Amino acid sequence: MSESLFSRLFHYRESEKLSPRENYLTEMLAWMIDSLPQFGREYVNYLCGKCEPNQIAETDNLFEVSAQTQVSVTNGFMDMVIKTDRNIGFICEHKVDSQLSENQIQKYLDCHNEIDDSLNVIFKTVLLTKSTEQHKEKADISITWYDVYEYFSGRFNNGKYDTLEKKIIEQFLMYLTEVGMGKKNNIQIGSVENYCEVMKLDQTLKSIFCDILNDTLWETECSGINDFVVSYNPGVPLKRWGRIGIEFSDEWKPSVFAGIVLDNTDHKLKEFNDQPQFVVLIDCDLEIKSELLNNVKFKSLFSNIPNYENGFSIDKFPKNKWRLLILQKPLKDILKHNEYEEQKKDIKDEIVSGINLILKYYNANM
């Protein structure tokens, strides 16, 4: 281990041209392979188990493993290369939201001599993605991040890891869940009517909103949203102010938030009744609030948007001074299904409906 995990992740801080999640996961995985010997061996055994025949017997836990990221070769940069002191290695390509370039897997395999010129080493190609739909090219091993999550979740309590290793692996699995590639729990309908149970929904909701964020073409489904908010940059932050969901900008000049309010202390919603509320609302910095209220388009929005259109209760005079307008429904009323994917669609449909309702009356006089 030549570098701390934090230093490795810092190389991939977000920019206009880079969403770091793909590289975060690659660096996390490589660091764990390098730093946690048992984890590294088990990951190699897992990959070997996907090969025919298995190259290293699972009972053989004496081999050494190392991982290197962003390996430069003639045909580009390999996301990760795993080497062992046996006769097998792995050329790994990792994807989250992006797609493969043409013949990317084969082009990297063609460069295997550049990373190890030993004639005795067999390199297998690994394609690790968010979804099986991204498996457009043939690799020796094609898996998803959820497959990795499931494998290590199943082996987590097998007694081979010490306390520190378990804690690190637990955090890795938790991160996969938070970004929608780990455990996918559905929302139990009964839990949204019980305040104590509601407070346990954080991780499930974070996973749902991350999936919705990444699976939706917002500029297409909510035409004009990128012009409505300043510094348009949708994301799913950690729970704050008692809410979890999608914030469409970090700057409230204005911004839109769509998600669930779990704790009403900050938002002061009407008719909260200790039950989570689905909201689509406009956040606004105080220094520009007066200006927006006097803006022709916002006057049109406030004058024309009717209460209960599309089933939303409309609050034009929120008690929280940072909110300009709130569209609200009880969460239990929008969940029409029991399965994760169907619930995700239920929530996404309401987000699109709420945002388009705002944009419809904002642009009413155009």
Side-chain angles (χ1 to χ4, degrees):
M1 179 175 61
S2 59
E3 190 174 25
S4 76
L5 174 60
F6 303 103
S7 293
R8 293 179 80 145
L9 296 186
F10 184 75
H11 297 317
Y12 297 108
R13 55 199 182 277
E14 189 165 14
S15 69
E16 290 184 3
K17 296 182 179 180
L18 176 66
S19 177
R21 184 167 50 165
E22 214 167 81
N23 291 314
Y24 275 13
L25 283 166
T26 296
E27 293 296 342
M28 284 181 192
L29 187 56
W31 184 87
M32 291 169 69
I33 290 169
D34 268 349
S35 306
L36 309 178
Q38 184 59 35
F39 178 90
R41 288 190 286 265
E42 290 207 0
Y43 189 66
V44 167
N45 278 327
Y46 169 64
L47 296 180
C48 286
K50 300 290 183 179
C51 300
E52 293 292 341
N54 194 337
Q55 299 288 324
I56 300 176
E58 190 167 348
T59 54
D60 182 355
N61 280 319
L62 301 178
F63 59 92
E64 297 295 322
V65 184
S66 65
Q68 184 180 355
T69 60
Q70 297 299 307
V71 179
S72 177
V73 293
T74 300
N75 290 337
F77 289 88
M78 298 175 179
D79 282 345
M80 183 170 74
V81 173
I82 300 174
K83 294 183 179 180
T84 71
D85 60 357
R86 302 300 171 87
N87 68 334
I88 190 167
F90 301 91
I91 296 171
C92 307
E93 180 60 25
H94 297 165
K95 297 295 182 186
V96 175
D97 301 317
S98 61
Q99 300 294 327
L100 289 166
S101 60
E102 187 175 358
N103 295 324
Q104 188 172 359
I105 300 296
Q106 186 59 49
K107 286 178 180 178
Y108 287 162
L109 183 59
D110 290 343
C111 297
H112 71 275
N113 288 334
E114 296 180 33
I115 55 177
D116 193 315
D117 59 5
S118 171
L119 297 179
N120 296 323
V121 177
I122 300 170
F123 276 99
K124 298 290 185 179
T125 54
V126 179
L127 178 57
L128 174 54
T129 63
K130 179 180 179 181
S131 166
T132 55
E133 294 178 359
Q134 294 165 289
H135 296 169
K136 302 294 187 183
E137 294 185 14
K138 181 173 175 55
D140 295 313
I141 304 162
S142 295
I143 53 177
T144 66
W145 288 103
Y146 179 74
D147 293 333
V148 175
Y149 173 91
E150 192 173 41
Y151 178 77
F152 281 100
S153 293
R155 302 180 71 84
F156 189 67
N157 295 313
N158 64 5
K160 293 182 180 179
Y161 301 113
D162 63 30
T163 302
L164 179 59
E165 287 176 325
K166 280 188 175 182
K167 187 65 177 176
I168 295 171
I169 296 168
E170 181 183 37
Q171 292 296 306
F172 175 65
L173 298 177
M174 185 183 298
Y175 180 73
L176 285 175
T177 296
E178 289 173 348
V179 296
M181 290 179 285
K183 187 175 183 180
K184 296 184 182 294
N185 287 325
N186 65 323
I187 300 171
Q188 299 297 318
I189 303 300
S191 70
V192 303
E193 298 177 341
N194 182 310
Y195 186 72
C196 293
E197 292 300 314
V198 163
M199 304 314 290
K200 302 175 184 178
L201 289 176
D202 291 20
Q203 199 169 86
T204 298
L205 290 171
K206 181 78 183 291
S207 176
I208 287 174
F209 282 112
C210 282
D211 275 357
I212 292 172
L213 175 68
N214 295 312
D215 294 345
T216 307
L217 298 173
W218 296 105
E219 297 92 331
T220 300
E221 300 218 29
C222 303
S223 179
I225 181 64
N226 51 321
D227 295 320
F228 181 83
V229 302
V230 174
S231 301
Y232 174 75
N233 183 29
V236 180
L238 295 174
K239 184 175 81 170
R240 50 185 178 179
W241 309 302
R243 71 189 195 186
I244 297 177
I246 299 171
E247 295 185 4
F248 285 84
S249 174
D250 295 327
E251 297 185 36
W252 293 2
K253 298 182 185 296
S255 181
V256 169
F257 169 81
I260 311 298
V261 175
L262 297 169
D263 183 333
N264 200 32
T265 305
D266 180 90
H267 283 71
K268 300 179 175 62
L269 301 178
K270 294 179 179 179
E271 303 174 2
F272 186 73
N273 298 326
D274 284 340
Q275 291 188 12
Q277 299 291 306
F278 172 80
V279 299
V280 177
L281 57 81
I282 302 175
D283 287 318
C284 176
D285 282 342
L286 297 182
E287 62 264 25
I288 66 164
K289 187 171 185 178
S290 178
E291 175 187 339
L292 293 182
L293 289 173
N294 288 300
N295 178 281
V296 172
K297 288 189 172 184
F298 276 98
K299 284 184 176 181
S300 170
L301 170 61
F302 288 112
S303 298
N304 296 315
I305 190 168
N307 206 15
Y308 297 113
E309 183 164 342
N310 296 357
F312 285 104
S313 171
I314 310 293
D315 187 358
K316 300 178 184 179
F317 305 99
K319 291 183 179 180
N320 184 304
K321 61 186 178 181
W322 300 93
R323 317 288 170 239
L324 206 59
L325 180 74
I326 299 174
L327 282 62
Q328 175 182 344
K329 291 182 183 182
L331 176 60
K332 65 182 179 63
D333 289 356
I334 72 171
L335 294 177
K336 304 176 179 68
H337 302 91
N338 294 316
E339 298 303 318
Y340 178 91
E341 291 298 326
E342 294 173 321
Q343 289 182 342
K344 186 176 76 173
K345 185 179 185 302
D346 289 340
I347 294 174
K348 178 215 166 174
D349 288 348
E350 294 292 341
I351 294 175
V352 172
S353 173
I355 292 175
N356 282 333
L357 190 60
I358 290 173
L359 295 174
K360 171 184 173 181
Y361 288 102
Y362 175 76
N363 295 313
N365 291 331
M366 288 182 64

